[in-house]
Amino acid sequence: EGIEAVPVQVEVDVSPGIPTFDIVGLPDAAVRESRERVRTAVRNGGWGFPTQRITVNLAPAYTRKGGAGFDLAIALGILAAVGVVPAAALERVAVAGELALDGGLRPVQGALAMALAAREIGARYLLLPRESAGEAALAGVDARPAATLGEVVAHLTGQRPLPVATPPPAGPQEEE
């Protein structure tokens, strides 16, 4: 909201039933469209997409959610629900990122504000696109940059840990 990031908890349930993919919790059009980005990125990443009833809840339900930055969290929630990613690996982890159809991660706006909010809620670290991680690192949080959904899954499953991002170098130094 404005320049302040408001934490949103992404909850995912995958259960038997007619295959549907619903997102609830006051999502805007960009968030609702994440269904197709997430479905395609998961499939193109080599994981099967569940043909069951998928419900994604963005809490708190009374706050309007906007933008494509929820894609990565939704994808990880689905992958955790079907056992690809250990659910415990996502505990107290903040996540932001837009997914490309090939599973690539696109930068998010407001990474610094997100990092400050992640620190405030006690997140262990923040997962986000490589291009956004330097900005987030300015807040002094453990920001973990990734280029693809596959890199994030490999990190969460313990196969290839992601490095900790460093802040970008300061502007040009004045000579004395």
Side-chain angles (χ1 to χ4, degrees):
E1 293 181 16
I3 60 169
E4 183 180 338
V6 177
V8 173
Q9 184 171 0
V10 177
E11 301 170 321
V12 177
D13 179 67
V14 177
S15 57
I18 296 172
T20 60
F21 189 168
D22 295 314
I23 300 176
V24 298
L26 287 181
D28 72 0
V31 177
R32 286 191 304 272
E33 289 171 353
S34 72
R35 291 181 301 216
E36 296 311 313
R37 288 188 300 274
V38 167
R39 182 188 331 265
T40 305
V42 167
R43 282 186 184 147
N44 287 336
W47 304 282
F49 196 82
T51 55
Q52 296 169 292
R53 179 176 180 77
I54 300 169
T55 305
V56 175
N57 181 41
L58 305 176
Y62 57 81
T63 302
R64 184 157 298 282
K65 284 63 162 205
F70 294 102
D71 291 1
L72 181 57
I74 292 169
L76 292 174
I78 290 169
L79 291 172
V82 298
V84 172
V85 171
L90 290 169
E91 290 178 14
R92 293 186 35 239
V93 174
V95 178
E98 177 182 347
L99 284 171
L101 298 181
D102 65 358
L105 292 177
R106 294 193 170 122
V108 292
Q109 294 181 347
L112 179 59
M114 289 178 199
L116 292 170
R119 184 174 67 194
E120 188 174 304
I121 64 169
R124 292 184 294 145
Y125 58 89
L126 172 61
L127 286 169
L128 68 172
R130 185 175 291 151
E131 297 86 355
S132 304
E135 178 185 337
L138 290 169
V141 301
D142 185 345
R144 303 292 176 107
T148 67
L149 176 59
E151 287 182 9
V152 174
V153 170
H155 169 77
L156 293 170
T157 57
Q159 296 171 352
R160 283 188 315 275
L162 292 169
V164 177
T166 57
Q173 301 294 320
E174 293 185 28
E175 292 187 26
E176 295 182 24

